[in-house]
Amino acid sequence: MKGIGASPGIEKGKVFVIKDWQPMLANNKTENTNAEISRLERALNKSTTELDNIFTKVKREIGDKEAAIFEAHIMIIEDPELIRQVKIKINEEKMSAEYALKTVRDIYLEMFKNMDNAYMRERAADIKDVTDRIIRNLTGMEKKDLLVIEEKAVIAAKDLSPSDTVQMDKEKIIGILTDDGGAASHVAIMARTLEIPAVVGLGNITEQLRTGDEILMDGDEGHVFIKPDKDIIKEYMKKRKMLRTLKTMYADLKGRESRTKDGYKVELSANIGTPEELPAVLRNDGEGIGLFRTEFLYMNRDRLPSEEEQFKVYKETAQKMEGKPVVIRTLDIGGDKALSYMPMPDEMNPFLGYRAIRLCLDRPDFFKSQLRALLRAGAYGNIKIMFPMISCIEELRKAKALLNEIKEDLNQRSQVFNPDMEVGMMIEVPAAAILSDVFAKEVDFFSIGTNDLIQYITAVDRGNKDIAHLYTQFHPALLRLIKQVIDNGHREGIWVGMCGEAAGDPRLIPILIGMGLDEFSMSPGTILKARWILSNLSKKEMEKKVENVLRYASAEEVCEALSFDTGVI
Ligand code: PEP
Ligand code: MG
């Protein structure tokens, strides 16, 4: 079966199927409504105490982000509107406390279920999780406890709530499979943090499996084999062994500089979306943050983040990176990234539409609050600002003018900030790449965003599966343009990095070294592998190779020519 690879790793073992817990409650009428209200209050208090304890345990043992989920659960219990509605059902319809709670929560769940928004669906899962807990406390019913797993197993469930995941006996759980969920669901985030392989979004795997069945799973690719045959097992065990050997080999490079064998030094940085990813950056020896996608701070909430909220996040990120560069990209919303609380116009071509810097310059009110937060946080570390989607010089000049306006204002108020913060731009629109000699005179650095640059150069939507074969990082037109951007940047004495996915592609790293790219920014888990690759390369040899490759006519030829350089793919 194929699902979504949510947490990497290959595992084989017996499966333990957890069936969805559904309380069976009858609508037995009550006359003593006061007694029911008291029972409800007691169950609410007991649930809050349990959640407080879980919160403290998770915060200590796992992390702040995971703990925050339980804080949110406590807030659901404390939501006066929910409890008010439950009490109305008890008082007016003479329902028992548990039946009233179930009735009200089912109305909420139905409402959330129909919303076309992943965040809201996650909130529905939270409401179910909390109300199940209260019902358990009201009825004394036990949920099949995940602690009863007696031997090591891969668990399979319709979905796993944060409470389930946290209470799991991590020693016994070697993998996670769920019917529901996406790569950004709670269970996926938890599994990655706990480094347990996981495949989510499998549809109906819990119906196809029985506890005790043998399975084989690949958390990278999202494959699950039920009762795998000998050949499959052999193939995957070989892959697992190879991946583990490679991981140990890469890990030996921790603490070393990122240099080619002939001494050319580059910076290997990480792309992050939230500060929760910082531990992974540090664990993998990232030499900086090459791209902080700040739009994630604006998502999964119901209003814009304030200047203070942003300031705190940027400051903490810079401090945790201890002086290493942290490139923070200003809001890149629009295209495929929407904010639930900010209505966007209906557009024929959202990727060519009202997005990123265009939207920010049109809405200086909230753009300014982000710039102020960035400038202020810059006093506490090595923050650099980066503007996305710049397509003409006026946009860059306007953004810089706003930044200067804010600096003056901060000066007048005697607020602490970094007046000399480096300002860079993404090169992800062909016009900016072609005109990079001009732009290079007005910024401190470039970061090439291949994810968008490829789609704009080739006119291939990056998310359309029907034309996915045309979307390629090996297109000779892209490589020629990248070379031009790097040369133009260097001619003006600025550094040039890359934060699109191509920067972490083992087949492209050698050629980018040959072109003289200064900084590579990628997902944290790829950094040590990239260091290993370049430590086995000679810059001089790669420079010669660039000349040849740039003459190729097709992406296929480029890809073939580049596949031999690294030995590890
Ligand atoms: C890019 O376009 O290459 C990039 C890094 O930005 P995003 O993927 O966030 O659009
Ligand atoms: Mg982009």
Side-chain angles (χ1 to χ4, degrees):
M1 285 182 83
K2 178 90 174 75
I4 301 163
S7 178
I10 293 172
E11 272 305 340
K12 179 176 90 63
K14 285 209 166 60
V15 75
F16 182 93
V17 184
I18 299 164
K19 293 284 177 207
D20 198 22
W21 188 81
Q22 282 295 352
M24 299 294 288
L25 300 173
N27 186 9
N28 297 324
K29 298 281 180 207
T30 176
E31 280 315 314
N32 194 349
T33 51
N34 284 342
E36 285 309 294
I37 302 256
S38 305
R39 280 183 66 229
L40 176 69
E41 302 282 4
R42 277 198 303 277
L44 292 174
N45 286 339
K46 184 160 185 240
S47 307
T48 309
T49 312
E50 284 174 3
L51 286 165
D52 266 335
N53 291 339
I54 300 180
F55 172 78
T56 315
K57 181 168 180 267
V58 174
K59 195 170 160 71
R60 194 178 55 234
E61 293 175 11
I62 305 179
D64 287 353
K65 172 150 189 203
E66 289 74 11
I69 296 165
F70 298 97
E71 216 172 12
H73 284 191
I74 296 172
M75 281 163 71
I76 295 174
I77 295 190
E78 288 170 352
D79 174 7
E81 185 50 29
L82 177 85
I83 302 308
R84 192 180 69 84
Q85 291 185 37
V86 177
K87 287 183 178 167
I88 292 176
K89 294 269 177 219
I90 297 175
N91 282 327
E92 293 181 5
E93 299 183 37
K94 313 278 179 243
M95 288 180 178
S96 65
E98 53 270 31
Y99 198 78
L101 179 62
K102 183 176 178 305
T103 310
V104 172
R105 89 93 189 268
D106 287 350
I107 297 171
Y108 271 73
L109 294 188
E110 195 54 35
M111 202 165 72
F112 280 115
K113 198 177 80 190
N114 296 326
M115 288 187 182
D116 188 21
N117 176 321
Y119 172 67
M120 288 312 209
R121 286 196 297 270
E122 286 298 330
R123 294 291 68 74
D126 287 336
I127 290 181
K128 179 164 185 317
D129 197 7
V130 178
T131 47
D132 276 352
R133 177 181 299 280
I134 306 169
I135 294 173
R136 278 201 304 278
N137 283 329
L138 275 164
T139 58
M141 284 186 197
E142 277 303 317
K143 182 174 184 180
K144 195 158 175 50
D145 199 329
L146 294 175
L147 298 173
V148 301
I149 300 176
E150 270 153 20
E151 49 180 338
K152 287 194 175 187
V154 172
I155 53 171
K158 183 163 183 341
D159 199 0
L160 282 175
S161 69
S163 316
D164 296 334
T165 325
V166 161
Q167 288 170 42
M168 292 182 323
D169 181 352
K170 278 70 167 195
E171 296 297 307
K172 302 237 176 79
I173 290 170
I174 55 171
I176 296 174
L177 308 173
T178 60
D179 290 342
D180 300 339
S185 58
H186 286 324
V187 58
I189 294 168
M190 288 271 197
R192 281 198 292 272
T193 313
L194 298 169
E195 298 189 20
I196 298 175
V199 181
V200 300
L202 282 156
N204 65 350
I205 192 143
T206 49
E207 279 159 35
Q208 303 196 29
L209 287 171
R210 296 274 168 283
T211 291
D213 281 351
E214 274 291 328
I215 66 111
L216 175 77
M217 64 182 288
D218 179 347
D220 289 280
E221 309 274 339
H223 287 299
V224 179
F225 301 93
I226 304 175
K227 298 180 189 145
D229 64 33
K230 273 206 207 86
D231 291 344
I232 293 277
I233 296 178
K234 208 166 146 200
E235 179 192 330
Y236 274 83
M237 289 305 110
K238 219 167 116 191
K239 187 174 165 194
R240 179 163 82 169
K241 198 164 162 213
M242 190 186 81
L243 288 175
R244 288 187 177 170
T245 315
L246 289 175
K247 217 172 154 187
T248 327
M249 190 171 81
Y250 304 148
D252 283 345
L253 293 176
K254 272 193 199 173
R256 303 261 287 273
E257 286 193 319
S258 306
R259 272 187 201 279
T260 59
K261 61 182 181 189
D262 52 349
Y264 175 71
K265 187 173 173 325
V266 297
E267 195 176 289
L268 295 181
S269 302
N271 292 349
I272 61 167
T274 64
E276 281 75 31
E277 290 159 60
L278 282 172
V281 179
L282 299 172
R283 215 171 38 238
N284 288 288
D285 215 12
E287 293 164 76
I289 305 290
L291 169 65
F292 183 160
R293 291 179 160 100
T294 57
E295 45 279 10
F296 289 98
L297 297 179
Y298 288 69
M299 291 176 176
N300 288 1
R301 47 185 297 136
D302 53 16
R303 67 195 144 75
L304 284 167
S306 67
E307 178 187 324
E308 272 323 297
E309 274 175 82
Q310 297 194 59
F311 166 69
K312 204 163 156 263
V313 172
Y314 304 149
K315 177 181 160 191
E316 274 176 22
T317 306
Q319 285 175 327
K320 285 192 179 144
M321 289 305 290
E322 297 179 333
K324 292 180 186 145
V326 176
V327 178
I328 304 189
R329 175 173 78 181
T330 61
L331 185 62
D332 184 18
I333 214 71
D336 58 347
K337 298 176 217 153
L339 298 181
S340 56
Y341 50 89
M342 193 192 284
M344 294 281 189
D346 262 344
E347 296 181 301
M348 291 284 281
N349 296 299
F351 273 113
L352 304 181
Y354 186 65
R355 58 171 294 202
I357 196 74
R358 303 167 182 184
L359 184 150
C360 286
L361 290 173
D362 192 44
R363 296 282 310 267
D365 45 341
F366 70 77
F367 189 34
K368 276 187 185 172
S369 89
Q370 182 173 41
L371 296 179
R372 289 176 65 89
L374 284 168
L375 283 169
R376 289 174 50 209
Y380 301 88
N382 188 3
I383 294 180
K384 303 168 198 282
I385 290 189
M386 176 159 76
F387 298 121
M389 275 290 288
I390 298 277
S391 64
C392 60
I393 199 82
E394 289 83 356
E395 283 171 337
L396 177 66
R397 289 179 182 160
K398 272 190 203 156
K400 285 177 68 179
L402 270 182
L403 203 60
N404 285 335
E405 227 178 82
I406 294 163
K407 283 185 192 174
E408 267 175 38
D409 186 50
L410 288 170
N411 247 335
Q412 271 172 12
R413 293 166 192 250
S414 308
Q415 273 189 286
V416 183
F417 72 102
N418 176 9
D420 305 313
M421 190 175 281
E422 276 189 36
V423 176
M425 62 182 270
M426 291 198 62
I427 298 282
E428 53 183 343
V429 177
I434 294 164
L435 222 57
S436 48
D437 55 330
V438 173
F439 281 105
K441 293 185 172 60
E442 304 196 20
V443 286
D444 299 310
F445 64 92
F446 286 152
S447 184
I448 305 173
T450 48
N451 305 345
D452 277 317
L453 190 55
I454 296 170
Q455 77 166 345
Y456 296 134
I457 290 185
T458 55
V460 177
D461 180 339
R462 69 194 251 190
N464 184 335
K465 69 176 181 0
D466 298 329
I467 48 170
H469 61 286
L470 294 173
Y471 181 93
T472 166
Q473 65 274 38
F474 300 112
H475 201 300
L478 174 76
L479 296 186
R480 286 190 191 189
L481 204 51
I482 290 175
K483 172 82 166 58
Q484 201 178 309
V485 172
I486 297 174
D487 288 347
N488 283 336
H490 287 175
R491 221 166 274 134
E492 292 300 330
I494 66 169
W495 62 268
V496 183
M498 181 179 286
C499 59
E501 289 302 303
D505 186 322
R507 295 161 297 183
L508 278 175
I509 290 172
I511 206 78
L512 295 171
I513 289 280
M515 290 184 188
L517 191 73
D518 303 292
E519 182 240 26
F520 295 66
S521 194
M522 57 195 73
S523 65
T526 325
I527 292 174
L528 292 168
K529 181 176 179 176
R531 187 173 292 161
W532 189 87
I533 292 170
L534 67 94
S535 68
N536 287 293
L537 291 174
S538 143
K539 167 115 177 2
K540 285 270 164 311
E541 278 169 30
M542 288 306 122
E543 280 169 6
K544 278 186 226 133
K545 185 141 195 163
V546 171
E547 284 171 32
N548 288 333
V549 169
L550 292 185
R551 280 197 282 264
Y552 288 130
S554 76
E556 203 178 323
E557 282 170 282
V558 172
C559 180
E560 200 180 319
L562 298 184
S563 295
F564 296 104
D565 288 325
T566 59
V568 275
I569 302 298

